[in-house]
Amino acid sequence: MVLNIVQVGVFMDNRECIIRATVSLINEKGDDIDEITVRDICKRAGVGLGL
């Protein structure tokens, strides 16, 4: 699959949002990181679950 510049830029933006959301949730949950779900991360990041 070949990605054009626009697709790569969107992918990187979403990836960064997911990383930041994950770090934020880990900081909030502390020792309870087992409670963090993919749904929580996607909701916080503002991206679709299927991404």
Side-chain angles (χ1 to χ4, degrees):
M1 177 178 182
V2 177
L3 298 175
N4 64 34
I5 299 298
V6 173
Q7 289 171 321
V8 171
V10 170
F11 174 76
M12 294 304 287
D13 289 343
N14 287 335
R15 180 178 177 198
E16 184 65 28
C17 288
I18 291 168
I19 292 168
R20 289 174 186 251
T22 303
V23 170
S24 173
L25 286 166
I26 290 170
N27 287 334
E28 284 179 22
K29 297 286 185 179
D31 292 334
D32 297 326
I33 61 172
D34 291 336
E35 295 179 12
I36 299 172
T37 65
V38 173
R39 286 188 191 279
D40 294 335
I41 295 168
C42 290
K43 184 176 180 181
R44 174 71 58 96
V47 299
L49 187 59
L51 186 63

